[in-house]
Amino acid sequence: MGIKKDKRNYRKHSEENQELIKNSLLELGTGRSILLDNEDEIIAGNETFTQAEKLGIPIQIIETDGKTLIAVKRTDLATDDDARKQLAIVDNLATDKSEFDFELLSDDFDINFLEDIGFEKIDLIPKGVGENNPTEEWEDMPEFEQENLLAKNRVIVSFENDDDRFAFAKLIGIKMTRDTKSIWFPEKKPEAVKDFRYKDEE
């Protein structure tokens, strides 16, 4: 079996994360599977494979064309088993403890695509770009008092269905979608920070 690690792995694993995965495999056994392409290079699960290989855990490959969801069934675990409950936590925690390599992502993907699938633009800016020393930058700057932009009054409006939501939006003349969580009335357009610049009055 010639499984190869992903040459451009978009996940970074700290020592803590590596230790978590190793201990989970040792104490609770394997959980979710890893994913390979048709050249046996890992798509997802690089660190799990690394730790399993170090521990000498056998690996079984299930071939699929992506049209069938592969479910891994642990025949040794019952619903009320403590190990089963622990695995449910640790399996998800291991993912949370790792992080994306944003510089690598920015090299390989268009930033608009990354934003569309949920990444924050600030995370995708290469380190060193736009970084400065706040203390030095603030020297000789004018005093500034932030205006309170919070709403003075709030009212909760509930709808039984989407038709009612859209009828209300039409009534007040404000565009709303199924995902709209809050609105201003009258409508206020968000102010872009890039539009504000300090100008020396001298």
Side-chain angles (χ1 to χ4, degrees), residues 114-130:
L114 294 172
E115 287 188 271
D116 286 345
I117 64 175
F119 285 103
E120 296 292 336
K121 190 170 185 177
I122 188 66
D123 292 325
L124 302 171
I125 299 175
K127 292 187 181 301
V129 176

Side-chain angles (χ1 to χ4, degrees), residues 36-53:
L36 313 177
D37 61 22
N38 61 10
E39 297 179 7
D40 292 333
E41 185 166 316
I42 297 173
I43 298 173
N46 284 272
E47 191 57 37
T48 299
F49 170 74
T50 298
Q51 297 303 326
E53 193 176 41

Side-chain angles (χ1 to χ4, degrees), residues 15 79 95-96 116-117 123 125 135 139 142 152 159 183 201:
E15 290 185 9
T79 302
T95 300
D96 294 340
D116 286 345
I117 64 175
D123 292 325
I125 299 175
T135 302
E139 287 184 6
K152 304 300 187 295
F159 308 103
I183 60 172
E201 295 181 356

Side-chain angles (χ1 to χ4, degrees), residues 16-59:
E16 178 189 11
N17 182 238
Q18 295 173 31
E19 194 72 12
L20 179 64
I21 294 173
K22 183 186 76 173
N23 291 337
S24 174
L25 290 170
L26 271 173
E27 300 169 12
L28 303 172
T30 59
R32 70 181 70 188
S33 60
I34 66 173
L35 182 62
L36 313 177
D37 61 22
N38 61 10
E39 297 179 7
D40 292 333
E41 185 166 316
I42 297 173
I43 298 173
N46 284 272
E47 191 57 37
T48 299
F49 170 74
T50 298
Q51 297 303 326
E53 193 176 41
K54 288 180 180 178
L55 295 171
I57 296 175
I59 298 173

Side-chain angles (χ1 to χ4, degrees), residues 1 10 13 17 49 58 61 67 70 77-78 86 119 126 137-138 142 144 146 157 173 182-183 190 198-200:
M1 183 185 305
Y10 298 119
H13 300 272
N17 182 238
F49 170 74
I61 294 180
K67 297 178 181 178
I70 305 297
L77 295 179
Q86 293 171 19
F119 285 103
E137 291 292 325
W138 195 253
F144 174 75
Q146 174 63 56
V157 181
S182 63
I183 60 172
Y198 167 68
K199 295 182 179 179
D200 193 338

